[in-house]
C-alpha cells in the first residue's frame, strides 16, 4: 500500500505531462486546425499524405536519419 501511495504522484505527473499531450497532438494531427480558429475539421490521414509527398520533408527526414545513424553510435 505504501508503494502505491508513493508512486501515485509520479503516475499523475506522467499522465498530465506526457500522456495527455501525446494524445492531444495525435488528435490534432488528424484535423485541419489553425491557431486561433474556433473550429476543427477532421481530415484523417490527409495531413500525413501531404507531408510524405513533400520533397523537402523527405530530404530533411533522410538527412536526420543519416545524422542520427552517424552521431548516436
Amino acid at each position: 500500500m505504501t508503494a502505491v501511495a508513493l508512486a501515485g504522484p509520479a503516475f499523475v505527473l506522467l499522465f498530465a505531462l506526457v500522456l495527455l499531450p501525446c494524445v492531444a497532438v495525435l488528435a490534432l494531427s488528424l484535423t485541419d486546425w489553425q491557431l486561433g480558429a474556433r473550429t476543427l475539421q477532421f481530415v484523417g490521414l490527409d495531413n500525413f499524405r501531404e507531408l510524405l509527398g513533400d520533397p523537402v520533408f523527405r530530404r530533411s527526414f533522410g538527412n536526420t536519419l543519416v545524422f542520427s545513424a552517424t552521431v548516436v553510435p
Side-chain angles (χ1 to χ4, degrees):
M1 186 65 183
T2 304
V4 173
L6 292 173
F11 285 121
V12 169
L13 284 175
L14 178 70
F15 182 75
L17 298 176
V18 176
L19 297 177
L20 275 178
C22 286
V23 170
V25 166
L26 179 63
L28 284 175
S29 73
L30 300 174
T31 64
D32 185 20
W33 179 69
Q34 301 294 322
L35 186 62
R38 296 186 185 266
T39 60
L40 292 174
Q41 181 181 1
F42 181 76
V43 294
L45 297 176
D46 286 343
N47 289 335
F48 295 103
R49 198 172 297 121
E50 181 180 342
L51 184 66
L52 292 175
D54 184 11
V56 174
F57 171 76
R58 287 196 308 258
R59 183 173 178 147
S60 299
F61 189 70
N63 290 342
T64 301
L65 290 177
V66 169
F67 178 80
S68 297
T70 56
V71 172
V72 171

